Amino acid sequence: MHMKNMTKSASDPIWTQGGLLGRVWEHLNRWPGIGPKSAERLLFYLLAADSSEVIDFAQALVELKQRIHPCRQCHHWTEDELCSICSDPKRDSSLLCVVEQPRDVIALERAGVYRGYYHVLGGRLAPLEGIGPEKLTVDSLLRRVQQGQVREVILATNPTFEGDGTALYLSSLLAPLGVKITRLARGLPSGSSLEFANSAMLADALEGRRAL
Amino acid sequence: MPLEKAHALVLRTSAFRETSCVVTLWTREFGKVRALAKGGRRLRSRFQSALDVLHLCDIVLIRKTSAQLDLLTEAHLVDRFNVLRQSLQAYYAACFILEILCACAQENDPHPQWFDTTIRTLRQLQPPHLLRTLLSWEIIALRELGMHPMLDQCVQCKKLLEVSSSSQPITWNALAGGVLCARCAMARSGQRTLQPELWHAWRCIAKQQDFEFPEATCQHLIDLLHDYWSHRLEQPLRLASYLSTAS
């Protein structure tokens, strides 16, 4: 979560003291990546922009919250019952890629290599923060795999301590179902050189080496 | 402002603004430290991949004398404890250690011996001796924190518990902080009985004696200790249920 200091200081614009301008400015200032100055710039832009453009934007925001919901199957954001990926029959139904967040689906799709389906967990296992399996879409994942079409589950959780823990937990549940379980490779980025790689990258690359 | 070097274990990271993060570190030299790592979330930051939970790093930080956060200027990864990422039980055990450290480590209160033991433990946490390794760590942690219960004498009247009486169940009171003799036990409430083999195993581990005992005894002792931690920390332990499920 982004931490923002919402207390008013002498350098804050005069409209932070209230009124409609202040309300809009405060809303903009809460958005990720938007500081007080950027919020001020956006506010001036909205004031100067065509009324139709601003109203269109406001309506789009309202519709966004009313019509976008998680896909019934993979839990990625969608406008329909099934998202565009789940409703694509040309995809490989034997492959299922498990990711933490909907943003990870977009990142993987951008790579343009993967042709299977996805499953969005909605977070990662973080026992210390009270995030257990019951807060993730684990049950729905197991149901999908039990349907029998999936042959390989790719655990694409982040390569962090908690991401690895989540992958371990999922593999302990999926192993009895008889599917192949894989984890995304990690190590050296393409186009880099060994000289500048850190020890962790090199260790990962050596551990995950493959035969040619 | 002084520039300090330290060995540190990352306890927690939280995002700060777009690319930075606030890290909570447990250092061998200064105890718990909270520091700002500017640009720490960038893929190509100077901290590289050092700032993840339970990573052991060599760090350089600028210590602030005021209430401000310290500033982390360098972090080099020393160990990622790969064994923790190979078994779910080891992962939960490591999370349990993390929970205790987050709750008990204090600023300006270094425990170099406990730090070294923790690093050794994190390297050894793997089946089949996982529970025994965790148990030893917990007992050392309790001793370092001055919370280890009295096992050899009655916590109330300080009378030594006779070895000959160890064939009978012993009265244990977590709230009182140890075992009670028969006479004191009658006067207090909230105690439970401790089987002699459990009491004996605990004393052996506490004295770092080599002693073989069944895995079930180990599990019972772990449960008893978790109960005791909860009493001392005045909060239930989140990882206790995970550990009993995984085993």
Side-chain angles (χ1 to χ4, degrees):
Chain A
M1 193 197 272
H2 294 269
M3 296 164 68
K4 282 207 172 176
N5 187 1
M6 297 303 287
T7 53
K8 293 172 179 59
S9 71
S11 59
D12 282 346
I14 189 103
W15 49 67
T16 57
Q17 286 159 17
L20 184 57
L21 288 174
R23 260 178 65 200
V24 178
W25 179 86
E26 284 209 350
H27 276 292
L28 293 169
N29 191 30
R30 266 183 226 143
W31 288 7
I34 310 283
K37 284 272 180 194
S38 300
E40 192 178 306
R41 209 161 27 243
L42 289 170
L43 180 63
F44 275 120
Y45 172 78
L46 291 172
L47 287 169
D50 266 2
S51 293
S52 60
E53 190 188 336
V54 178
I55 290 165
D56 197 32
F57 175 57
Q59 276 174 347
L61 283 180
V62 171
E63 282 181 37
L64 180 84
K65 290 308 286 180
Q66 285 174 345
R67 287 170 45 190
I68 303 293
H69 55 84
C71 167
R72 183 169 54 83
Q73 194 155 295
C74 74
H75 306 278
H76 184 37
W77 294 118
T78 180
E79 211 171 320
D80 304 309
E81 199 178 349
L82 289 179
C83 69
S84 58
I85 297 171
C86 287
S87 53
D88 183 354
K90 288 181 194 154
R91 287 196 166 246
D92 185 351
S93 59
S94 68
L95 285 176
L96 187 65
C97 181
V98 181
V99 296
E100 289 181 17
Q101 299 292 343
R103 279 164 69 175
D104 301 332
V105 174
I106 294 162
L108 283 164
E109 280 297 287
R110 209 179 287 137
V113 182
Y114 179 68
R115 294 300 301 159
Y117 290 99
Y118 293 94
H119 188 90
V120 181
L121 283 175
R124 77 274 182 265
L125 214 60
L128 286 176
E129 291 167 30
I131 303 173
E134 71 286 349
K135 294 200 175 156
L136 309 177
T137 62
V138 177
D139 289 344
S140 144
L141 170 69
L142 293 178
R143 276 198 301 275
R144 282 183 82 180
V145 176
Q146 277 163 345
Q147 281 168 4
Q149 277 188 307
V150 178
R151 294 227 180 109
E152 180 179 349
V153 178
I154 303 166
L155 299 174
T157 51
N158 286 329
T160 57
F161 181 70
E162 285 169 347
D164 285 338
T166 310
L168 268 178
Y169 174 74
L170 292 177
S171 64
S172 75
L173 296 179
L174 292 166
L177 302 180
V179 286
K180 184 179 174 187
I181 304 161
T182 53
R183 184 99 172 93
L184 283 189
R186 47 170 95 176
L188 295 165
S190 298
S192 65
S193 75
L194 290 181
E195 190 186 350
F196 298 112
N198 65 46
S199 55
M201 276 180 188
L202 285 170
D204 281 338
L206 277 169
E207 209 172 301
R209 71 190 184 278
R210 62 175 182 184
L212 289 174
Chain B
M1 279 173 289
L3 211 62
E4 305 275 12
K5 284 183 178 180
H7 298 294
L9 191 67
V10 180
L11 299 184
R12 198 163 177 241
T13 66
S14 50
F16 182 73
R17 300 225 167 107
E18 279 303 282
T19 57
S20 303
C21 58
V22 174
V23 281
T24 308
L25 304 156
W26 185 44
T27 64
R28 192 178 191 277
E29 291 77 4
F30 315 109
K32 198 194 251 183
V33 165
R34 288 185 79 228
L36 178 64
K38 285 185 180 172
R41 290 166 65 212
R42 277 200 208 109
L43 201 59
R44 285 165 186 263
S45 83
R46 60 202 148 131
F47 306 109
Q48 296 174 336
S49 51
L51 301 181
D52 189 16
V53 174
L54 281 186
H55 276 190
L56 175 68
C57 338
D58 283 335
I59 59 162
V60 178
L61 76 163
I62 298 172
R63 303 223 69 189
K64 297 285 172 78
T65 45
S66 62
Q68 281 180 308
L69 287 173
D70 293 342
L71 191 66
L72 194 68
T73 59
E74 281 180 48
H76 297 287
L77 181 67
V78 176
D79 199 341
R80 281 186 300 178
F81 308 108
N82 279 338
V83 289
L84 308 178
R85 295 158 196 253
Q86 284 159 12
S87 121
L88 193 60
Q89 215 187 355
Y91 174 79
Y92 286 149
C95 286
F96 176 79
I97 290 178
L98 197 60
E99 186 174 13
I100 298 290
L101 291 177
C102 286
C104 299
Q106 300 291 324
E107 288 178 24
N108 300 314
D109 180 22
H111 288 265
Q113 270 187 313
W114 185 24
F115 184 91
D116 294 341
T117 307
T118 304
I119 301 306
R120 242 188 344 265
T121 303
L122 289 172
R123 285 181 180 139
Q124 291 168 354
L125 267 183
Q126 50 190 320
H129 303 297
L130 189 139
L131 286 183
R132 173 98 192 229
T133 311
L134 181 65
L135 206 52
S136 302
W137 180 85
E138 285 186 54
I139 289 170
I140 290 168
L142 284 170
R143 198 180 291 137
E144 279 281 332
L145 292 162
M147 296 199 290
H148 194 271
M150 275 193 186
L151 295 175
D152 291 333
Q153 56 188 43
C154 170
V155 71
Q156 199 151 320
C157 69
K158 310 293 184 246
K159 183 185 154 195
L160 272 174
L161 253 68
E162 288 170 28
V163 181
S164 58
S165 68
S166 66
S167 55
Q168 290 178 345
I170 294 149
T171 309
W172 158 257
N173 192 311
L175 213 57
V179 293
L180 294 168
C181 66
R183 193 197 292 171
C184 294
M186 288 204 289
R188 284 191 78 115
S189 59
Q191 47 252 16
R192 55 189 273 189
T193 52
L194 191 63
Q195 290 307 312
E197 65 268 19
L198 224 54
W199 176 72
H200 188 54
W202 192 342
R203 286 173 73 233
C204 282
I205 297 172
K207 288 175 183 166
Q208 295 179 323
Q209 290 172 348
D210 271 337
F211 175 67
E212 283 301 317
F213 48 86
E215 197 73 352
T217 307
C218 222
Q219 185 62 56
H220 283 138
L221 207 44
I222 288 259
D223 292 342
L224 190 73
L225 273 174
H226 290 174
D227 191 38
Y228 183 60
W229 277 114
S230 296
H231 270 291
R232 297 305 307 245
L233 301 176
E234 295 177 352
Q235 63 186 46
L237 292 171
R238 280 192 160 140
L239 262 298
S241 58
Y242 284 88
L243 269 173
S244 44
T245 315
S247 58

